[in-house]
Amino acid sequence: MKIVYTFSAILFFTWTLISYAHTPGTVTVDSLTFDKILQNFDIVLAKFDDKYPYGDNQDQFKKFAENAANTKNLLIAEIPITDYGEKENEQLATEYKVTKADFPAYKLFLKGKSKPIDFTGEKTEDGLKRFLSQHTSLWFGLPGTLEALDNLAREFFDVSSSNDETKAKSIIEKVREQVKGFADKKEQKSGESYLKIMETVGKQGVEFLKREGRRVQNLLKGKITNEKKEELQQRANILLSFRSLKESVSDTIDAIKDKVADTVEKVKDL
């Protein structure tokens, strides 16, 4: 009888490990197949992690992978790292400077770019979606955003960047008419946010988007109610729609410059 119980326990343990080893909606790659993946897909989000991950971070990743599985042009890759036995994918971990303390570490590989973009946000489903929305043209339906208006927001950004006031005003009027037709109050509120942002850009220029984005992020870091946090996060999500890939890269560089400047100031204060 003890043998039966022991055998059943082993089977259960093995099944549990197998279930953790692969996340639906992803592909598991290794040092021999990873380059092939990068060569054949435009956008690859790679997750470096333990071979058998578990916990809140993994639960959030599962939700993200399941919801993003059918997103066109995106491949989600899992790279299991082990520091025992054959030390699986140790070479990839070393090459991309990932340590066990970083797990799970996410890196975004864009076709044509020599280096990946490191993920530094909250390791949640929405955090990963925001990251991809910031650095790609993929649409995930972040809280507060509307796909039709997101498309117009990108178009508005392009014409505003080239100082085409006539087209910019035309897009604003198009958005205004769409917002009037929204029956859902939440959609109407979101639509009004898009409209106000466009109107402000019309007065202050596209530089307003960077300033407003930084202002909202600073407010999110402060002590605020959950209701206010949700409101600000939705505004931050909408602001992500007003950008191109070129602008995203520019913002990343600006963010690095800001971090360096902050570090210099802290050193001066010591």
Side-chain angles (χ1 to χ4, degrees):
M1 196 70 173
K2 286 182 180 180
I3 294 174
V4 173
Y5 283 138
T6 302
F7 181 69
S8 298
I10 292 172
L11 280 178
F12 177 77
F13 180 70
T14 303
W15 178 86
T16 301
L17 288 181
I18 291 172
S19 67
Y20 277 127
H22 175 72
T23 305
T26 73
V27 296
T28 302
V29 299
D30 54 35
S31 56
L32 297 177
T33 58
F34 190 49
D35 282 343
K36 292 180 182 179
I37 292 293
L38 297 182
Q39 290 168 14
N40 288 282
F41 288 87
D42 294 335
I43 304 169
V44 177
L45 180 68
K47 172 177 173 275
F48 296 76
D49 204 351
D50 281 315
K51 188 170 184 176
Y52 306 110
Y54 61 92
D56 292 340
N57 286 335
Q58 180 63 10
D59 290 342
Q60 288 293 318
F61 177 68
K62 282 182 178 179
K63 289 180 183 178
F64 164 76
E66 182 180 347
N67 292 326
N70 294 320
T71 302
K72 191 176 179 181
N73 297 326
L74 170 66
L75 181 82
I76 306 169
E78 288 190 281
I79 303 174
I81 312 291
T82 62
D83 56 3
Y84 54 85
E86 296 182 357
K87 297 188 176 181
E88 293 180 52
N89 299 317
E90 184 182 47
Q91 180 184 339
L92 286 174
T94 302
E95 181 179 350
Y96 293 106
K97 298 177 182 178
V98 176
T99 66
K100 196 176 182 69
D102 302 322
F103 293 168
Y106 296 97
K107 292 179 182 288
L108 177 63
F109 294 81
L110 301 175
K111 202 166 190 177
K113 300 291 182 182
S114 58
K115 294 182 179 180
I117 302 170
D118 292 337
F119 174 81
T120 57
E122 292 182 359
K123 295 176 181 180
T124 62
E125 179 186 4
D126 282 347
L128 290 167
K129 286 179 178 179
R130 275 192 290 273
F131 174 63
L132 287 168
S133 295
Q134 181 181 0
H135 296 289
T136 73
S137 58
L138 299 176
W139 192 82
F140 292 100
L142 290 167
T145 63
L146 301 168
E147 187 170 11
L149 297 191
D150 270 7
N151 293 331
L152 288 171
R154 289 182 183 277
E155 186 180 348
F156 177 81
F157 176 86
D158 289 336
V159 299
S160 296
S161 297
S162 58
N163 297 315
D164 191 333
E165 293 184 15
T166 302
K167 286 186 178 179
K169 287 179 180 178
S170 174
I171 293 172
I172 288 176
E173 289 308 311
K174 193 180 292 186
V175 171
R176 199 187 309 279
E177 287 302 311
Q178 286 202 26
V179 173
K180 284 181 182 178
F182 289 152
D184 184 88
K185 288 185 178 180
K186 286 185 178 180
E187 288 187 351
Q188 200 170 58
K189 186 177 179 180
S190 291
E192 288 170 356
S193 291
Y194 281 90
L195 192 57
K196 287 177 182 177
I197 290 170
M198 289 182 179
E199 289 173 340
T200 306
V201 169
K203 295 175 183 176
Q204 300 182 23
V206 293
E207 287 299 314
F208 164 76
L209 296 169
K210 286 184 180 180
R211 294 196 301 272
E212 180 65 2
R214 288 169 183 163
R215 184 186 74 85
V216 171
Q217 290 302 323
N218 286 333
L219 288 173
L220 282 168
K221 293 174 185 176
K223 292 182 179 180
I224 53 176
T225 63
N226 289 335
E227 185 179 354
K228 187 64 177 177
K229 183 176 182 180
E230 183 180 348
E231 178 187 327
L232 287 170
Q233 189 59 73
Q234 288 187 12
R235 185 169 180 80
N237 292 341
I238 291 172
L239 284 166
L240 285 176
S241 306
F242 291 84
R243 60 179 60 220
S244 64
L245 287 177
K246 182 179 178 181
E247 182 69 11
S248 297
V249 172
S250 174
D251 278 356
T252 301
I253 294 171
D254 287 343
I256 293 171
K257 288 180 178 177
D258 288 344
K259 286 183 179 179
V260 171
D262 288 343
T263 302
V264 171
E265 288 300 319
K266 288 178 180 178
V267 171
K268 286 180 179 179
D269 292 338
L270 292 177

